[in-house]
Coordinates of all heavy atoms in Angstrom, one line a residue:
D215 N 97.6 120.7 69.8 CA 97.7 121.7 70.9 C 97.3 121.2 72.2 O 97.4 121.9 73.2 CB 96.8 122.9 70.5 CG 97.3 123.7 69.3 OD1 98.5 123.6 69.0 OD2 96.5 124.4 68.7
N216 N 96.8 120.0 72.3 CA 96.4 119.4 73.6 C 97.3 118.3 74.0 O 98.0 117.7 73.2 CB 95.0 118.8 73.4 CG 93.9 119.8 73.3 OD1 94.0 120.9 73.8 ND2 92.8 119.5 72.6
R217 N 97.3 118.0 75.3 CA 98.1 116.9 75.8 C 97.2 116.2 76.8 O 96.3 116.8 77.4 CB 99.4 117.3 76.4 CG 99.3 118.3 77.5 CD 100.7 118.6 78.1 NE 101.1 117.4 78.9 CZ 101.6 117.4 80.1 NH1 101.8 118.5 80.7 NH2 102.0 116.3 80.7
G218 N 97.5 115.0 77.1 CA 96.7 114.2 78.1 C 97.2 114.6 79.5 O 98.4 114.7 79.7
L219 N 96.3 114.7 80.4 CA 96.6 115.1 81.8 C 95.8 114.2 82.7 O 94.6 114.0 82.5 CB 96.3 116.6 82.1 CG 96.9 117.2 83.3 CD1 98.4 117.2 83.3 CD2 96.4 118.6 83.5
A220 N 96.5 113.6 83.7 CA 95.8 112.7 84.7 C 95.3 113.6 85.8 O 96.0 114.4 86.4 CB 96.7 111.7 85.2
I221 N 94.0 113.5 86.1 CA 93.4 114.1 87.3 C 92.7 113.0 88.1 O 92.4 111.9 87.6 CB 92.4 115.2 86.9 CG1 91.2 114.6 86.1 CG2 93.0 116.3 86.1 CD1 90.0 115.5 86.0
T222 N 92.6 113.3 89.4 CA 91.9 112.3 90.3 C 90.7 113.0 90.9 O 90.7 114.0 91.5 CB 92.9 111.9 91.4 OG1 94.0 111.3 90.8 CG2 92.2 110.8 92.3
L223 N 89.6 112.3 90.7 CA 88.3 112.7 91.3 C 87.7 111.5 92.1 O 87.5 110.4 91.5 CB 87.3 113.2 90.3 CG 87.8 114.4 89.4 CD1 86.8 114.7 88.3 CD2 87.9 115.6 90.3
L224 N 87.3 111.7 93.3 CA 86.7 110.7 94.2 C 87.6 109.4 94.1 O 87.0 108.3 94.1 CB 85.3 110.4 93.7 CG 84.3 111.5 93.9 CD1 83.0 111.2 93.3 CD2 84.1 111.8 95.4
G225 N 88.9 109.6 94.2 CA 89.8 108.4 94.2 C 90.0 107.7 93.0 O 90.7 106.7 92.9
K226 N 89.4 108.2 91.9 CA 89.6 107.5 90.6 C 90.3 108.5 89.6 O 90.1 109.7 89.5 CB 88.2 107.2 89.9 CG 87.4 106.2 90.8 CD 86.0 106.1 90.2 CE 85.2 105.2 91.1 NZ 83.8 105.3 90.8
Q227 N 91.3 107.9 88.9 CA 92.1 108.7 88.0 C 91.4 108.7 86.6 O 90.9 107.7 86.1 CB 93.5 108.1 87.9 CG 94.5 109.0 87.2 CD 95.9 108.5 87.2 OE1 96.1 107.4 87.0 NE2 96.8 109.4 87.6
H228 N 91.5 109.9 86.0 CA 90.9 110.2 84.7 C 91.9 110.9 83.9 O 92.6 111.8 84.3 CB 89.6 111.0 84.8 CG 88.6 110.5 85.7 ND1 87.6 109.6 85.3 CD2 88.4 110.7 87.1 CE1 86.9 109.3 86.4 NE2 87.3 110.0 87.4
M229 N 92.0 110.5 82.6 CA 92.8 111.2 81.6 C 91.9 112.2 80.9 O 90.9 111.8 80.3 CB 93.5 110.2 80.7 CG 94.6 109.4 81.3 SD 96.0 110.3 81.9 CE 96.7 111.0 80.4
V230 N 92.3 113.4 80.8 CA 91.6 114.5 80.1 C 92.5 115.3 79.2 O 93.7 115.4 79.5 CB 90.9 115.4 81.1 CG1 89.8 114.7 81.9 CG2 91.9 116.1 82.0
A231 N 92.0 115.8 78.1 CA 92.7 116.6 77.2 C 92.9 118.0 77.9 O 92.0 118.5 78.5 CB 92.0 116.7 75.9
C232 N 94.1 118.6 77.6 CA 94.3 119.9 78.2 C 95.2 120.7 77.2 O 96.2 120.2 76.7 CB 95.1 119.7 79.5 SG 95.5 121.2 80.3
P233 N 94.8 121.9 77.0 CA 95.7 122.7 76.1 C 97.1 122.9 76.7 O 97.2 123.1 77.9 CB 94.9 124.1 76.0 CG 93.5 123.8 76.4 CD 93.6 122.6 77.4
K234 N 98.1 122.9 75.9 CA 99.4 123.2 76.4 C 99.5 124.5 77.1 O 98.9 125.5 76.6 CB 100.4 123.2 75.2 CG 100.6 121.8 74.7 CD 101.7 121.8 73.6 CE 101.8 120.4 73.0 NZ 102.7 120.3 71.8
G235 N 100.1 124.6 78.2 CA 100.3 125.8 79.0 C 99.1 126.0 80.0 O 99.2 126.9 80.8
K236 N 98.1 125.2 80.0 CA 97.0 125.3 80.9 C 96.9 124.2 81.9 O 96.0 124.1 82.7 CB 95.7 125.3 80.1 CG 95.5 126.5 79.1 CD 95.5 127.8 79.9 CE 95.2 129.0 79.0 NZ 95.1 130.2 79.7
E237 N 98.0 123.4 82.0 CA 98.0 122.2 82.9 C 97.8 122.6 84.4 O 97.0 122.0 85.1 CB 99.3 121.5 82.8 CG 99.5 120.9 81.4 CD 100.2 121.8 80.4 OE1 100.5 123.0 80.7 OE2 100.5 121.3 79.3
D238 N 98.5 123.7 84.8 CA 98.3 124.1 86.2 C 96.9 124.6 86.5 O 96.4 124.3 87.6 CB 99.3 125.2 86.6 CG 100.8 124.8 86.6 OD1 101.0 123.5 86.7 OD2 101.7 125.6 86.5
D239 N 96.3 125.3 85.6 CA 94.9 125.7 85.8 C 94.0 124.5 85.9 O 93.1 124.5 86.7 CB 94.5 126.6 84.6 CG 95.2 128.0 84.6 OD1 95.8 128.4 85.6 OD2 95.2 128.6 83.5
L240 N 94.2 123.6 85.0 CA 93.3 122.4 85.0 C 93.5 121.6 86.3 O 92.5 121.1 86.9 CB 93.5 121.5 83.8 CG 92.7 120.3 83.7 CD1 91.2 120.6 83.8 CD2 93.0 119.5 82.5
L241 N 94.7 121.4 86.7 CA 95.0 120.7 88.0 C 94.4 121.4 89.2 O 93.9 120.7 90.1 CB 96.5 120.5 88.1 CG 97.2 119.5 87.2 CD1 98.7 119.5 87.3 CD2 96.6 118.1 87.4
A242 N 94.5 122.7 89.2 CA 93.9 123.5 90.3 C 92.4 123.3 90.3 O 91.8 123.2 91.4 CB 94.3 125.0 90.2
A243 N 91.7 123.4 89.1 CA 90.3 123.2 89.0 C 89.9 121.8 89.5 O 88.9 121.6 90.2 CB 89.8 123.4 87.6
A244 N 90.7 120.8 89.1 CA 90.4 119.4 89.5 C 90.5 119.2 90.9 O 89.7 118.5 91.6 CB 91.3 118.4 88.7
Q245 N 91.6 119.8 91.5 CA 91.7 119.7 93.0 C 90.6 120.4 93.7 O 90.0 119.9 94.7 CB 93.0 120.4 93.4 CG 93.4 120.3 94.9 CD 94.7 120.8 95.2 OE1 95.3 121.6 94.4 NE2 95.2 120.5 96.4
K246 N 90.1 121.6 93.2 CA 89.0 122.3 93.8 C 87.7 121.4 93.7 O 87.0 121.2 94.7 CB 88.7 123.6 93.2 CG 87.4 124.3 93.4 CD 87.4 125.0 94.7 CE 86.2 125.8 94.9 NZ 85.8 126.0 96.2
L247 N 87.5 120.8 92.5 CA 86.3 119.9 92.3 C 86.4 118.7 93.2 O 85.4 118.4 93.8 CB 86.2 119.5 90.9 CG 85.1 118.6 90.5 CD1 83.7 119.1 90.9 CD2 85.1 118.2 89.0
N248 N 87.6 118.1 93.3 CA 87.7 116.9 94.2 C 87.4 117.2 95.6 O 86.8 116.5 96.3 CB 89.1 116.3 94.0 CG 89.2 114.9 94.6 OD1 88.4 114.1 94.3 ND2 90.2 114.7 95.4
T249 N 87.9 118.4 96.1 CA 87.6 118.8 97.5 C 86.1 119.0 97.7 O 85.6 118.5 98.7 CB 88.3 120.1 97.8 OG1 89.7 119.9 97.7 CG2 88.0 120.6 99.2
E250 N 85.4 119.6 96.7 CA 84.0 119.8 96.8 C 83.3 118.5 96.8 O 82.3 118.2 97.6 CB 83.5 120.7 95.7 CG 83.9 122.1 95.6 CD 83.2 123.0 96.6 OE1 82.1 122.7 97.0 OE2 83.9 124.0 97.1
L251 N 83.7 117.5 96.0 CA 83.1 116.2 95.9 C 83.2 115.5 97.2 O 82.3 114.9 97.7 CB 83.7 115.4 94.7 CG 83.4 115.9 93.3 CD1 84.3 115.2 92.3 CD2 81.9 115.7 93.0
N252 N 84.4 115.5 97.7 CA 84.7 114.7 99.0 C 83.9 115.3 100.2 O 83.4 114.6 101.0 CB 86.2 114.6 99.3 CG 86.9 113.7 98.3 OD1 86.4 112.5 98.1 ND2 88.0 114.0 97.8
E253 N 83.9 116.6 100.2 CA 83.2 117.3 101.3 C 81.7 117.0 101.2 O 81.0 116.7 102.3 CB 83.4 118.8 101.3 CG 84.8 119.2 101.8 CD 85.1 120.6 101.7 OE1 84.2 121.4 101.2 OE2 86.2 121.0 102.0
F254 N 81.1 117.1 100.0 CA 79.7 116.8 99.9 C 79.4 115.3 100.2 O 78.4 115.0 100.9 CB 79.2 117.0 98.4 CG 77.8 116.8 98.3 CD1 76.9 117.8 98.5 CD2 77.2 115.6 97.9 CE1 75.5 117.6 98.4 CE2 75.9 115.4 97.7 CZ 75.0 116.4 98.0
K255 N 80.3 114.4 99.8 CA 80.1 113.0 100.0 C 80.1 112.7 101.6 O 79.2 111.9 102.0 CB 81.2 112.2 99.4 CG 80.9 110.7 99.3 CD 81.9 109.9 98.4 CE 81.4 108.5 98.2 NZ 82.3 107.8 97.2
L256 N 80.9 113.4 102.3 CA 80.9 113.2 103.8 C 79.6 113.8 104.4 O 79.0 113.2 105.3 CB 82.1 113.9 104.4 CG 83.4 113.3 104.1 CD1 84.6 114.2 104.7 CD2 83.5 111.9 104.8
R257 N 79.2 114.9 103.9 CA 77.9 115.5 104.4 C 76.7 114.8 104.1 O 75.8 114.6 104.9 CB 77.8 117.0 103.9 CG 78.7 118.0 104.5 CD 78.3 119.4 104.2 NE 77.9 119.6 102.8 CZ 78.8 120.0 101.8 NH1 80.0 120.1 102.1 NH2 78.3 120.2 100.6
A258 N 76.7 114.2 102.9 CA 75.5 113.5 102.4 C 75.4 112.1 102.8 O 74.3 111.5 102.7 CB 75.4 113.7 100.9
H259 N 76.5 111.6 103.3 CA 76.5 110.1 103.7 C 76.0 109.2 102.6 O 75.2 108.3 102.8 CB 75.8 109.9 105.0 CG 76.2 110.8 106.1 ND1 77.4 110.6 106.7 CD2 75.6 111.8 106.7 CE1 77.5 111.5 107.7 NE2 76.5 112.2 107.7

């Protein structure tokens, strides 16, 4: 029921398991997380 999905966090690609049909949700979550990570990294130096 799972498939591998590539996400990028802090410029590094990761393969994660994702239930079929939930790919868009996982990609949206990864994009939100990546934005938060990059913004924090800029603020925290």
Side-chain angles (χ1 to χ4, degrees):
D215 292 337
N216 288 330
R217 61 175 287 230
L219 191 65
I221 62 169
T222 302
L223 299 173
L224 293 172
K226 297 175 187 164
Q227 193 171 46
H228 305 273
M229 288 298 293
V230 295
C232 179
K234 289 181 183 174
K236 297 294 184 179
E237 295 88 355
D238 290 342
D239 293 340
L240 180 59
L241 289 172
Q245 184 176 15
K246 167 78 171 153
L247 177 57
N248 194 48
T249 298
E250 294 284 333
L251 292 168
N252 286 314
E253 288 175 358
F254 184 87
K255 193 169 189 175
L256 287 173
R257 285 192 316 270
H259 304 291

